[in-house]
Amino acid sequence: MQTVVEYAIVSMSLVALIANLRVLASSGIIKRDLPSLIGVASLVLGGLLYEAGLGLVGQPGQVAVFGLLLGCVILATVGRVREKQRGGAQLSRPLSIGPFFPSAVAVVMATVNAVANVDLPLGQSVGRFLAVAILVLAGLLACVGRIYLEDVGRIIVCSVLIILILSLFVGPAWRPCDIFKCGPFGAIYTGPFSSENALAIYACVAILFVLKTWSGTVSVLSLLPVLLTLYATESRTSQLAVVLGLAAWAFYSLWLKGTRRPRDFHPDPSRGKRLVFQLTVAAIFCVGFYLVTNAEPAQFSNRGMIWIRGLTALGDDWAAGLGLDRWTYYQSIGLLPPLFPHSEYLLLLFGGGVLSVGFLYAAHYSSIASASRRTADLGVAVSYNVFLAVLGLTEAYWNPVAFDGHTFLVLPLVYLASRAVDPVPSGLSTNRSRKLSLRPE
């Protein structure tokens, strides 16, 4: 049965990938901004390949992604300068702060890590700051490029489908059941990764952006393999997070139903409604810290034990943190278990203190604030922010001082924060596709 399911996922992913690539090619993105297309694809697909150990490994892999992304930023900037010289300045994006909040989190954590762990090998410290540089370049690309959220979403969907196809060729794609859970097919589907939780997170992101870039048959074909993948992983946190994210999207749509507003760039008429969504994310952050600080050892599949020992190791250093490499050191001497924090909030607090937590919330806040200026983006902005915030309750979904398959998870926040300052030009791919009605028209 497991072999049948695996082949079904791979075959459906192949069909969906071909269909999505055709839509992406017909969108005009290649002619509009090829450097940005390559840059975003290198960040998303490069990270997934890095996580799976397929070609890109260690610092050489990080350097390759950094170099490719740097070249794309330079070419995109040159293209934008030439466009302005030809009279196309009306499409310029000002260099705003919103797209750089994720890199600010990484800067804080990398700096704390270097200061608090002075005995780190030079190569390891360089690797930490390479991750920071990659996020800075992602923010720059969002500001200077002419690639839009729909394009980014389509690239994410294509990249996840590619990984699902490659899982057929990379070792065993299933792991045995354990005392905490068992998959519906008698084992737990991990794909090409070491953890089913990573695969489930990527499947959830693909689901959200299939809905964002809805185009009828193509999107149905795309949903089939990622939904089956999510089901086969039995990753309960990811399943809950995506359901709550979709519920937030539906709530947004119902709340604003009947409000007829233009779909192009415009100010949001209701700051109060926008603030409700931002406070919802803040409330989930608070729940995350409540769970961590009030945990019992056996709670959440023994995650409570990790959180208790993590807070004990952190001691009174909540303000600045101890750096994530201190977590690794404490593991080596037995002070911490051989697991990562399993909480995004504890990871940020331990690695970079309250400032890193604040910058991550600023990224969420900014993405919702900017997306609220364009009705077509606010639904997915609310959904994606709720999804990430809930996911962080029991999963460390992003390590800001490492480049891996989770790095691209903050990329939608970057583009949501930059999107609203740039009106959508005519001829974008969205006018070729029928959007899913999860938002008011």
Side-chain angles (χ1 to χ4, degrees):
M1 185 61 180
Q2 295 158 15
T3 302
V4 173
V5 172
E6 185 176 352
Y7 274 92
I9 290 173
V10 170
S11 58
M12 289 189 294
S13 297
L14 182 60
V15 173
L17 176 63
I18 294 171
N20 276 280
L21 288 175
R22 291 182 63 185
V23 173
L24 190 63
S26 65
S27 70
I29 178 62
I30 296 176
K31 182 178 180 180
R32 179 173 15 108
D33 195 348
L34 181 59
S36 292
L37 170 64
I38 296 173
V40 172
S42 67
L43 186 57
V44 179
L45 185 57
L48 290 172
L49 293 173
Y50 187 94
E51 182 79 12
L54 296 172
L56 296 173
V57 293
Q59 282 195 10
Q62 296 182 35
V63 171
V65 172
F66 170 78
L68 188 56
L69 198 55
L70 177 60
C72 291
V73 169
I74 293 172
L75 291 175
T77 304
V78 171
R80 179 51 61 92
V81 170
R82 290 177 177 174
E83 179 185 298
K84 287 183 178 181
Q85 292 173 345
R86 293 194 299 266
Q90 70 275 11
L91 290 178
S92 296
R93 288 172 174 166
L95 194 65
S96 57
I97 191 173
F100 297 97
F101 280 125
S103 56
V105 178
V107 167
V108 170
M109 294 190 69
T111 302
V112 169
N113 194 64
V115 171
N117 301 280
V118 292
D119 295 330
L120 280 180
L122 179 60
Q124 195 168 334
S125 295
V126 170
R128 302 304 187 209
F129 283 97
L130 265 176
V132 176
I134 287 172
L135 286 170
V136 171
L137 290 176
L140 286 171
L141 191 65
C143 291
V144 303
R146 291 186 61 194
I147 188 170
Y148 304 98
L149 188 61
E150 286 83 356
D151 303 314
V152 174
R154 187 77 63 181
I155 292 168
I156 288 173
V157 172
C158 289
S159 299
V160 172
L161 291 172
I162 289 172
I163 289 297
L164 293 181
I165 295 168
L166 292 176
S167 66
L168 186 64
F169 309 100
V170 184
W174 300 82
R175 76 167 179 86
C177 300
D178 56 35
I179 61 173
F180 298 114
K181 61 181 177 181
C182 187
F185 303 108
I188 300 171
Y189 190 56
T190 62
F193 306 111
S194 59
S195 167
E196 72 279 1
N197 293 325
L199 181 60
I201 291 171
Y202 306 144
C204 288
V205 176
I207 289 168
L208 293 176
F209 281 99
V210 166
L211 298 180
K212 168 58 182 170
T213 59
W214 188 263
S215 53
T217 303
V218 174
S219 296
V220 172
L221 292 173
S222 304
L223 278 178
L224 292 176
V226 291
L227 284 172
L228 181 56
T229 296
L230 180 60
Y231 180 61
T233 62
E234 192 61 18
S235 181
R236 292 162 295 196
T237 297
S238 296
Q239 292 168 355
L240 175 63
V242 77
V243 167
L244 291 179
L246 292 173
W249 198 340
F251 174 75
Y252 151 78
S253 301
L254 291 173
W255 195 11
L256 300 185
K257 188 176 181 180
T259 304
R260 300 188 62 84
R261 290 179 287 177
R263 295 175 59 184
D264 291 332
F265 173 81
H266 61 84
D268 179 27
S270 176
R271 289 186 177 182
K273 289 187 173 78
R274 181 181 70 196
L275 186 61
V276 166
F277 301 135
Q278 292 164 330
L279 290 177
T280 298
V281 175
I284 299 172
F285 269 53
C286 292
V287 171
F289 283 109
Y290 176 83
L291 293 179
V292 167
T293 54
N294 292 272
E296 297 294 333
Q299 285 182 332
F300 303 103
S301 302
N302 286 351
R303 285 174 171 84
M305 178 266 296
I306 302 173
W307 299 340
I308 292 170
R309 293 175 65 177
L311 287 177
T312 301
L314 179 61
D316 296 328
D317 292 304
W318 285 45
L322 296 173
L324 281 183
D325 281 304
R326 184 73 63 89
W327 184 283
T328 306
Y329 169 71
Y330 284 161
Q331 286 177 324
S332 69
I333 61 175
L335 190 60
L336 289 173
L339 296 166
F340 230 41
H342 270 293
S343 165
E344 188 67 22
Y345 309 106
L346 178 57
L347 180 144
L348 293 175
L349 190 65
F350 192 98
V354 294
L355 192 57
S356 64
V357 178
F359 276 134
L360 181 62
Y361 180 70
H364 286 286
Y365 185 98
S366 177
S367 67
I368 294 176
S370 295
S372 68
R373 300 182 182 182
R374 181 173 164 77
T375 325
D377 284 350
L378 185 54
V380 73
V382 170
S383 179
Y384 196 72
N385 277 277
V386 169
F387 164 73
L388 284 186
V390 172
L391 190 64
L393 295 177
T394 58
E395 292 294 341
Y397 63 80
W398 174 48
N399 180 355
V401 292
F403 173 76
D404 55 25
H406 297 267
T407 300
F408 84 89
L409 295 181
V410 295
L411 193 62
L413 299 183
V414 169
Y415 278 86
L416 283 166
S418 65
R419 168 67 179 269
V421 297
D422 199 3
V424 178
S426 60
L428 191 60
S429 61
T430 53
N431 59 21
R432 297 178 54 89
S433 305
R434 181 173 58 84
K435 291 292 182 183
L436 180 67
S437 183
L438 285 176
R439 53 169 175 73
E441 297 292 343

